[in-house]
Amino acid sequence: MKKRVKQYAQQMEVGTQDRRHVLKDFSRMLDNQIEKTVLFILEQQGQLASRLTNLREQHDALEETPEISQITELREAYRAVGQDLLKLLCFVEMNAIGLRKILKKFDKRFRYRFTDYYVKTRANHPYSQLQQVFKHVGLGAVVGAISRNLHELQDRQGSYLSIYDPPALPLQDPVVDSINAAVDRLSHSTNFLNFLAQHALIMQEELPAPTDERIDDERYHFMSLLLNLANTFLYMVNTYIIVPTADDYSMSLGAAATVCGIVIGAMAVAQVFSSVYFSAWSNRSYFRPLVFSSIVLFVGNTMYALAYDMSSLTVLILGRLCCGLGSARAVNRRYISDCVPLKIRMQASAGFVSASALGMACGPALAGILQTNFKIYKLTFNANTLPGWVMAVAWLVYLVWLWISFKEPSRDIEEPPASNSETVENVALEEGKQPLLITSEEKQEDDEDPEGDGSEEAPEESRKPATSIVSAYRLLTPSVKVQLLIYFMLKYAMEILLSESSVITTYYFSWSTSTVSIFLACLGLTVLPVNIVVGSYISNMFEDRQILLASEIMVCIGILLSFHMIIPYTIPQYVCSGLIMFVSAEVLEGVNLSLLSRVMSSRLSRGTYNGGLLSTEAGTIARVIADATITLAGYLGESLLLNITLLPSFLICVASIVATCFTYNSLY
């Protein structure tokens, strides 16, 4: 079909075919291919059903005269049917992926949203075969028959309960676990939810072992997941709630307005170190790091609020350092990666990103609301101190909720016994190493491989996590290093825009704190809509590397438009250029992290020095440098602050564009 698409393009170039004929012919060909696939699936289901019927007759005969040897043979026969069903599920998955890719290639080649048209017209039509592929209708009955019969053949020590009686009896069989894992993979969403989940860069093995999935089910606790997402939300609120008032707070303590760079950046400085020890701590516990994080953030915000009455800039900065030492985002990511079942991990990852985006918008908005001034005894409550007091109370309430509701996941779980041959065969099927329709010599290299370098790790090495930052760095390919540079660049540019917004708008436009808060909140509210558009539409029209390069160029344009040249600096120029820069950076971040989640080594999916930690450190270091740049540039005067801070952003952006072009040209 890829060859046929190429032929269509050539025919349209020479004028022998028109667009309408191409669309009609391609639709008919696609319908025929899907119908052929579905009929083959139904044929295989029929054969499996016939085998299960024969085995059911043998099973009924054994009820009258049970023999251990015959029961063992019957159990192995059911497992053999399960192995064939697993191959069929892999076949369905392969065709679903192939269908999505050929639709994407057609859209890209002809600049036409054929995917939207095709799915919309066939999704709910009574005669369409599309549902059979994506909803795998009928396979559930075969899965249920195999599971129920294997359950009945287990030694239940005289129990008369069936698989349907509550509480549900656990069925520990490697074949059934493999089938359930394959069904979960096949059920994954592919558009916005998947894009948003990858935006979180929660590293995980591409195809986890079935036993890992059983462990995840036993570890999973909904309230604990909710507490992790609440921690993510509150931390992001804590990060951005002080941005609109940091310059005023600094001046009230006798410092320059640009010292707000140090005040804001102190949290990021501490986060560079806290990310490492929280990541290591999460190897042993999740509850204790979250408790420690809440206590430290409570203390840090209290110090931040008390600094006003103590007239101490040192206490103010130490309070923000304390807040950074309580950054448990590494624990939040790790909990989702290790303790949430695969079937809902994508939703949990998307929730992580959504909680971060919501916190980023709520922080400045909350600062805009807290515009009051009063005293209780010797404590002052005003626009500068209230963010600290409000967050201190919030973390105290969260700590109580955490202590009552969090459930520490178990780490000592016995794995079900399985023979070596069964384990090897199941893992091979899980990883797609046993071909279904083609031999390994005939396997073609995927031209949409995001990394494209054909590199492959040895199987025994691919399971070992990195043991240090140095060993983790050695696992990074050139394309991954470039993507980390891009991540550094966009975080630097966004931090410059956000952190100096209060100083710049006050100097040029005399904006009040409420106006700055509204501007920053509006920027934060663009995060989710932008990701919806990119994940649902743009990513279906263009390849990720094309979106990556276009977004970098748009960020560069936004930075150029932000410079103050000869003409007077105006509000429309600042708002429009800031919006272009921020939205483009959000698009760039989503696509960049989506690529990173697919091309990073599997050895960076677990352990202390994982892919999430590397990306967090790159972004945090960028924020630290950006905030330091604001403070240092402030010594040259507020009139030069804007251009001096934008210049490094522009140079880093240009360097990342050059690196992207060079790296991807060499790979593709």
Side-chain angles (χ1 to χ4, degrees), residues 495-565:
E495 188 71 11
I496 289 290
L497 172 65
L498 298 175
S499 295
E500 70 178 12
S501 59
S502 182
V503 179
I504 295 299
T505 54
T506 301
Y507 178 78
Y508 286 104
F509 318 126
S510 300
W511 279 7
S512 65
T513 300
S514 298
T515 308
V516 178
S517 301
I518 293 172
F519 172 68
L520 294 177
C522 290
L523 288 181
L525 288 174
T526 63
V527 174
L528 286 180
V530 166
N531 281 317
I532 291 174
V533 172
V534 175
S536 299
Y537 299 102
I538 297 179
S539 62
N540 290 328
M541 300 295 296
F542 304 98
E543 295 182 9
D544 285 346
R545 61 181 181 272
Q546 294 174 327
I547 304 174
L548 191 78
L549 184 58
S551 301
E552 287 181 88
I553 294 173
M554 289 304 298
V555 170
C556 190
I557 292 174
I559 294 172
L560 283 174
L561 293 176
S562 298
F563 278 96
H564 179 205
M565 301 301 182

Side-chain angles (χ1 to χ4, degrees), residues 295 377 445 487 603 657:
I295 294 173
Y377 297 106
E445 184 178 337
Y487 192 64
R603 293 174 61 185
I657 292 174

